[in-house]
Amino acid sequence: MKPLFIKGPSLGVRFLALTVLSIALMVVDARFAALKPLRSQLGMVLTPLYYVAELPVRAWDAVYLQLTSRADLIAENESLRAEALLTKRKLQKLAALTEQNVRLRELLNSSELVDERVLVAELIGVDPNAYTQRILIDKGERDGVFLGQPVLDATGLMGQVVEVLPFSARVLLITDSSHSLPVQINRNGLRAIASGTGSSDWLELRHVGDTADIRVDDIVVSSGLGQRFPAGYPVGRVASVNRDASQPFAEVRVEPTAQLNRSRYLLLVFSPESGYGDVLPALSLDGEAVDANAAGDAEPGTATPQAAPSGETPPVAPAAEEQNDAQ
């Protein structure tokens, strides 16, 4: 009987034969060019097989790349959105700083036109009472602020100090219904009294004769009478003049030149006319106050001279007394 399975060479013999054949083919391929056409044909035949074999790897790489790119794009989008918000915030802050710079420049320009010494203050509060026109500033007794001190902004007279605290002060605006100040028409020197109406938009000239020479657009300035406000500061502009033959006085409305509802930086004026006498603090715009008569001689901690009521001689600083005695 013939065997069902023909027994061939052993595995060792086959492995040895294939190894010898491989070495021979490598030697022939390295030394001669006879196998190049065959290798090219085999490459053409095997290329589709390579492509099919790489399909799973390519598919996995594509899916992984798609998922990774989407996650990266989402993260990058969130990062850019946060950066855009920060940039907008910086732009808003830059706009506010630009406006603040403009207002400070206007204020510094205004201080150059003032002959008296001035101190820059910042508004830090507004009286919530609808029937009063008062504000709170960040300069007080420690800075030499005194009762009755005139307060200006870059465009005109705003009011006067009515309460002094150690580090702050309250200012009564000229539009308060309880406030009045002597003024004059800049065009002809006609004197009048400008009283507040309780509204920040208007002042009223009281007891002005029906035949008085007042015109619309006349500039109203402080007259200096009463020894409270120095003369020559702009107060407002005549907005309307109503004359009634049946009334003894004309109704004159004045629009304040000061930006009462918008100004944030103010000027505190030190002058003899405002009741401070001849002893004035030597002030710079950075807020330092030093006795002018004792400049260079006063030691740190010397008390700032306080304001005297209108009509009284203000107290002289100790350094000034010593200087007078020496003379």
Side-chain angles (χ1 to χ4, degrees), residues 59-134:
W60 171 253
D61 290 341
V63 172
Y64 179 78
L65 182 62
Q66 185 71 17
L67 294 176
T68 305
S69 299
R70 179 179 176 82
D72 291 342
L73 287 176
I74 293 175
E76 184 179 1
N77 191 14
E78 293 178 354
S79 175
L80 291 176
R81 187 175 300 175
E83 185 177 353
L85 290 176
L86 293 176
T87 304
K88 289 181 180 179
R89 183 190 65 82
K90 291 180 180 179
L91 288 176
Q92 293 175 0
K93 189 68 174 179
L94 180 61
L97 290 175
T98 302
E99 292 299 325
Q100 179 181 354
N101 190 20
V102 171
R103 290 193 295 268
L104 286 175
R105 286 181 180 274
E106 292 176 352
L107 197 62
L108 292 175
N109 229 0
S110 176
S111 67
E112 292 178 357
L113 305 178
V114 178
D115 294 333
E116 294 83 5
R117 293 182 176 90
V118 295
L119 175 67
V120 176
E122 184 177 359
L123 186 146
I124 57 175
V126 178
D127 197 322
N129 190 346
Y131 299 99
T132 60
Q133 299 280 320
R134 296 190 180 194

Side-chain angles (χ1 to χ4, degrees), residues 135-149:
I135 59 175
L136 186 67
I137 59 177
D138 65 344
K139 294 294 185 291
E141 186 178 1
R142 297 292 182 88
D143 304 290
V145 178
F146 58 91
L147 289 176
Q149 186 171 16

Side-chain angles (χ1 to χ4, degrees), residues 16 24 30 44 71 81 93 95 119 131 136 145 176 188 191 195 211 240 243 251 257 261 282 313:
L16 181 60
M44 293 179 59
R81 187 175 300 175
K93 189 68 174 179
L119 175 67
Y131 299 99
L136 186 67
V145 178
D176 189 89
N188 53 18
R191 293 188 296 273
S195 300
T211 59
S240 65
R243 306 179 190 274
E251 182 182 346
T257 56
N261 289 334
T313 304

Side-chain angles (χ1 to χ4, degrees), residues 6-18:
I6 300 174
K7 187 176 180 181
S10 64
L11 292 177
V13 175
R14 293 178 184 178
F15 176 76
L16 181 60
L18 291 175

